Amino acid sequence: MTDFAATKALFDLPEGVIYLDGNSLGPLPRDVPARIEAMLREEWGEKLITGWNKAGWMAQPMRLGDRIGKLIGAEPGHVTTGDTLSIKVYQALASGLEMRPERRVVLSDSGNFPSDLYMAEGLLRMMGRGHELRVVAPEEVEDHLTDEVAVLMLTEVDYRTGRRHDMKRLTAKAHAVGALAMWDLAHSAGAFPVDLKGCGADFAVGCTYKYLNAGPGGPAFIYVAPRHAGRAVPALSGWLGHEAPFAFDLGYRPGAGVDRMRVGTPPVIQMTALDVALDVWDIADIGDVRAKSVELTDQFIAGIEAACPGLELATPRDPALRGSQVSFRFADGYAAMQALIARGVIGDFRAPDIMRFGFTPLYIDEADVARAVDIIADVMNTAAWDRPEYRVRAAVT
Ligand SMILES: *Cc1c(COP(=O)(O)O)cnc(C)c1O
């Protein structure tokens, strides 16, 4: 059983803050500053360009991919890291479409994160072959899986409501109509066990700055199923995805396996932060994290519903149907969230009316949830949020 007091001690959270936004940006792992400092001085500073070989910088994207792969049920050697999630969405979708050249529909849902849809739109326009991005309601996805669909592109957990799709079932259904299934694990990786291999997913992508705590700008990851790894054609054919980058050939030849999804020079400093952040998984079991997350989210839902009649639950009550966040609807949710942040309970707001709270047992415990419920109840029931300064919208909500 994971010792959650020990995992909590690995994070540096400000005094007096209850951090319920690790689903958006994970907190700072305590060892990151020292390890980055050491990397800068001992690797960059001392080794200079030889660091690419001697400090393992060039191998780092695949090494870190394997560390993440263990949390998402990927076969070893089939996940790599780099770029941002939006870029990886583009890459995975482009490869999937090339593998279904006779089909013209990308199926997604209105619970997907806009950037995924925007990237798909841009890619389809660029391809200029008359593809259609078909966006349906989350509960209607299954009915729209027809033999027109080339790629089913979904985010497993809805960033607004926390509703979770049934990856195994939808992947099987996609395959039954001859489509490929591509999953965005932005709100899954590090939150609960994912079984890419068991589900038969074709492609998966995700980011590392949410539940994986790699810090703002942390690299993304991409998974290509082993059966496709040798034939997925990279749309972003950069030199580090080349079979032999240092042969400096004038023509592109894709590298072996998922390596071909690398594009350019990896962000080594940020990757070091990710490497350190992943150390928590040496002492934390992802199954235990899920079990505890269900307890904490159940406790939070029960507490808020008992104390705050003005908040309407937007997240499925059945734990099997949700990820690791809980959302409530409230018309003045933006102002209410600013008031909570001023009182040390940090969640966030998603337009038009969603107050979002993420739960990460790695550093949140029952006492934190109980205190958060008390503070939220006080702010809501005294209308402490109803002040002009809480209505001023910042660039990031
Ligand atoms: C957070 C998130 C993104 C963000 O993409 P970046 O390129 O990392 O900014 C994209 N898609 C989903 C589903 C997300 O949750």
Side-chain angles (χ1 to χ4, degrees):
M1 184 64 196
T2 302
D3 176 355
F4 287 109
T7 63
K8 189 168 186 161
L10 295 180
F11 290 89
D12 230 356
L13 280 156
E15 203 49 46
V17 161
I18 304 172
Y19 193 60
L20 303 182
D21 214 359
N23 52 310
S24 205
L25 177 69
L28 175 67
R30 184 154 288 168
D31 287 346
V32 163
R35 294 270 297 273
I36 295 260
E37 165 98 16
M39 178 267 151
L40 293 174
R41 295 196 182 283
E42 292 158 26
E43 296 183 11
W44 184 15
E46 299 290 326
K47 296 187 169 65
L48 296 161
I49 199 167
T50 67
W52 288 108
N53 293 318
K54 291 186 180 157
W57 297 342
M58 197 48 94
Q60 200 175 28
M62 292 293 294
R63 186 172 62 75
L64 296 183
D66 276 341
R67 294 193 78 184
I68 294 168
K70 288 187 194 143
L71 300 173
I72 56 174
E75 299 85 343
H78 292 277
V79 178
T80 192
T81 52
D83 312 299
T84 75
L85 176 50
S86 303
I87 301 282
K88 292 309 186 202
V89 166
Y90 191 93
Q91 281 187 298
L93 182 58
S95 294
L97 291 173
E98 289 292 342
M99 290 165 62
R100 289 291 178 277
E102 70 291 352
R103 297 186 177 204
R104 287 290 175 274
V105 173
V106 174
L107 181 64
S108 190
D109 74 5
S110 53
N112 207 342
F113 188 77
S115 195
D116 295 39
L117 301 176
Y118 302 160
M119 294 307 285
E121 259 183 54
L123 170 62
L124 300 187
R125 191 171 55 240
M126 193 71 156
M127 289 174 75
R129 290 192 227 149
H131 281 93
E132 175 197 344
L133 174 61
R134 198 168 286 171
V135 179
V136 302
E139 54 282 3
E140 288 171 6
V141 167
E142 204 162 329
D143 292 340
H144 284 81
L145 272 170
T146 63
D147 61 10
E148 291 175 291
V149 178
V151 178
L152 171 66
M153 179 185 86
L154 292 175
T155 296
E156 185 181 16
V157 176
D158 186 313
Y159 74 104
R160 279 206 207 92
T161 63
R163 179 221 16 87
R164 179 177 173 183
H165 274 306
D166 185 337
M167 181 186 290
K168 187 161 198 164
R169 181 185 168 87
L170 287 171
T171 301
K173 186 82 202 288
H175 290 167
V177 298
L180 296 170
M182 162 188 165
W183 290 95
D184 190 325
L185 305 178
H187 296 273
S188 311
F192 50 78
V194 176
D195 185 11
L196 288 176
K197 177 174 180 234
C199 291
D202 297 286
F203 295 91
V205 294
C207 55
T208 61
Y209 51 79
K210 292 173 180 160
Y211 292 98
L212 294 174
N213 312 308
F221 63 85
I222 184 168
Y223 163 83
V224 181
R227 62 187 177 279
H228 303 317
R231 61 194 191 104
V233 181
L236 301 173
S237 39
W239 72 305
L240 290 188
H242 192 280
E243 187 182 26
F246 287 87
F248 296 106
D249 291 336
L250 295 184
Y252 181 77
R253 290 193 314 278
V258 77
D259 237 1
R260 64 182 56 186
M261 292 299 169
R262 293 178 64 170
V263 182
T265 303
V268 177
I269 300 170
Q270 193 84 56
M271 292 230 176
T272 302
L274 170 59
D275 202 11
V276 180
L278 290 171
D279 287 349
V280 70
W281 300 105
D282 294 343
I283 61 166
D285 174 77
I286 186 76
D288 293 345
V289 165
R290 174 58 176 175
K292 186 86 186 175
S293 146
V294 168
E295 284 176 27
L296 296 177
T297 47
D298 277 346
Q299 180 193 350
F300 186 72
I301 292 171
I304 295 293
E305 289 198 315
C308 307
L311 296 183
E312 182 203 342
L313 184 66
T315 300
R317 224 172 268 285
D318 178 355
L321 302 181
R322 65 175 190 250
S324 202
Q325 72 179 64
V326 175
S327 303
F328 284 93
R329 290 186 202 283
F330 182 61
D332 284 299
Y334 181 79
M337 188 54 79
Q338 303 322 301
L340 292 180
I341 293 170
R343 300 274 296 270
V345 176
I346 303 184
D348 61 19
F349 172 78
R350 288 293 174 265
D353 61 354
I354 294 274
M355 296 173 73
R356 209 166 61 144
F357 303 92
F359 292 86
T360 311
L362 296 178
Y363 50 83
I364 293 292
D365 58 26
E366 294 92 337
D368 294 321
V369 173
R371 265 200 305 144
V373 168
D374 286 346
I375 293 169
I376 295 168
D378 189 54
V379 165
M380 297 310 297
N381 296 333
T382 61
W385 53 268
D386 195 4
R387 293 164 58 158
E389 68 265 33
Y390 294 144
R391 294 182 187 275
V392 179
R393 298 255 174 151
V396 175
T397 63

